[in-house]
Amino acid sequence: MTNPDTGYQVSRGTRDDDTPIGAAARRASQVLTPGGAGTLPRPLERRVLTIANQKGGVGKTTSAVNLAAALALQGLRVLVIDLDPQGNASTALGVDHRSGVPSSYELLLGEVTLGEAIAQSPHSPNLFCVPATIDLAGAEIELVSMVARETRLKNALADSAGDDLDYVFIDCPPSLGLLTVNALVAAREVLIPIQCEYYALEGVGQLLRNIELVQAHLNPQLHVSTILLTMYDARTKLADQVAAEVRNHFGERVLQSAIPRSVKVSEAPGYGTTVLDYDPGSRGAMSYLDAGRELAHRGVHRGGN
Ligand code: ATP
Ligand code: MG
């Protein structure tokens, strides 16, 4: 029979988790039990990943905050550095980012230390954020005339306040300006989210050329370690075609777990939270937990390559 409220098929006399809602509730309670989501291996040394794609709206911020939350939930200490003046990552992590709070802007200018700029996310004791305020909008221009303008974030990250972190994710704006260059110089790994839509690979070539330039001149260790497919809609042929093309092009660097297009994922930031908090049993939450696990295990087995 069909439940008139949900439209889902239910059968009498079965366990709650035989229904989709029951199964989601069971997953949620498991995820929310301390240690219930499992624990992940700590990397041998802190991993710094820049999340970049100059194409707008491909899921950079969503992936930064949800991967961070997924790893934090599984016992790792994670920092998200919000390098986008829009401050969307700060919002999703529930961190104050009104003009005037210590932020990535002051960090780049050398006015505060990393320790002073880090705020605790209310969502997890393991989750931290350097917020972005609107002041950052002027930074691209202000940085131009500064000494060591490309290495300011890297230098700031050398602060001892960052020593006990396992992961740092840097959320970039949709451009290849000095903010993104600072992020590419500060990280060893680049994670590129690719949206499973038309023109998915548009601009990726340009991004890769920029990464090569940074590699050649400023950060020889930099490499594209991870590709994450986002907004994957299994009902469309297009999503499969894009996924196949991306896997063909980038091979093993593409995570097996693709993030589905999901209303829950898009609703969560409106409540100042991540999908792992907003609806922990949802497909979106599960996919970010899976992607986080894969990322963590790959780093341990393959040295972050
Ligand atoms: P920008 O380039 O502006 O910084 P971005 O690359 O950081 O954008 P997001 O802000 O993460 O992209 O996502 C763009 C929009 O798509 C947002 O409204 C977000 O809520 C939505 N979105 C992201 N991932 C998903 C998903 N898996 N399912 C549904 N909506 C999603
Ligand atoms: Mg963003």
Side-chain angles (χ1 to χ4, degrees):
M1 67 180 264
T2 305
N3 179 325
D5 293 325
T6 62
Y8 285 125
Q9 290 293 322
V10 291
S11 49
R12 281 177 209 283
T14 57
R15 284 179 16 185
D16 282 353
D17 62 2
D18 287 342
T19 65
I21 289 180
R26 182 176 45 78
R27 287 196 301 266
S29 78
Q30 189 183 352
V31 168
L32 294 177
T33 310
T39 50
L40 289 174
R42 296 189 63 185
L44 295 176
E45 54 183 27
R46 180 178 74 181
R47 287 176 73 184
V48 183
L49 291 100
T50 280
I51 305 202
N53 189 337
Q54 78 276 24
K55 193 163 152 63
V58 298
K60 292 182 286 296
T61 303
T62 305
S63 299
V65 300
N66 287 302
L67 281 175
L71 296 181
L73 198 62
Q74 296 176 88
L76 300 174
R77 287 173 65 82
V78 191
L79 169 68
V80 175
I81 300 181
D82 192 348
L83 267 200
D84 187 340
Q86 297 176 98
N88 294 341
S90 317
T91 304
L93 293 172
V95 169
D96 187 6
H97 63 105
R98 282 170 296 188
S99 178
V101 301
S103 69
S104 50
Y105 174 71
E106 286 83 3
L107 192 65
L108 285 167
L109 264 57
E111 291 173 2
V112 297
T113 64
L114 181 65
E116 289 163 340
I118 289 181
Q120 167 86 57
S121 166
H123 304 322
S124 159
N126 288 336
L127 190 53
F128 305 88
C129 175
V130 172
T133 64
I134 192 66
D135 300 328
L136 191 61
E140 295 267 13
I141 293 164
E142 287 175 59
L143 281 170
V144 170
S145 59
M146 287 192 178
V147 179
R149 60 188 183 182
E150 294 96 355
T151 55
R152 300 187 79 89
L153 184 63
K154 178 191 165 90
N155 298 341
L157 269 178
D159 185 76
S160 62
D163 286 353
D164 61 350
L165 294 167
D166 297 311
Y167 281 80
V168 178
F169 291 106
I170 307 173
D171 183 29
C172 290
S175 71
L176 291 170
L178 267 177
L179 290 174
T180 299
V181 170
N182 261 271
L184 292 174
V185 173
R188 189 180 281 198
E189 300 177 53
V190 186
L191 184 157
I192 307 178
I194 295 183
Q195 187 184 356
C196 299
E197 292 289 350
Y198 279 118
Y199 310 122
L201 290 171
E202 186 191 57
V204 172
Q206 199 190 354
L207 173 63
L208 295 178
R209 281 191 294 281
N210 275 265
I211 291 169
E212 277 167 23
L213 281 174
V214 171
Q215 215 170 27
H217 299 287
L218 295 159
N219 181 9
Q221 293 183 314
L222 186 70
H223 61 280
V224 178
S225 69
T226 314
I227 308 287
L228 178 63
L229 295 167
T230 63
M231 296 182 235
Y232 178 81
D233 188 342
R235 294 167 305 182
T236 67
K237 249 197 194 140
L238 175 65
D240 276 336
Q241 284 165 359
V242 172
E245 192 183 347
V246 172
R247 288 190 194 282
N248 193 24
H249 194 271
F250 289 101
E252 281 218 323
R253 288 182 282 181
V254 187
L255 294 183
Q256 288 303 317
S257 349
I259 308 302
R261 184 174 278 287
S262 138
V263 174
K264 300 289 182 188
V265 169
S266 60
E267 282 174 353
Y271 295 86
T273 193
T274 65
V275 73
L276 285 119
D277 242 23
Y278 179 63
D279 192 346
S282 63
R283 281 187 317 132
M286 291 297 137
S287 69
Y288 273 113
L289 276 171
D290 288 344
R293 263 182 222 121
E294 239 187 290
L295 184 69
H297 286 296
R298 285 178 171 215
V300 169
H301 297 312
R302 300 206 264 148
N305 284 315

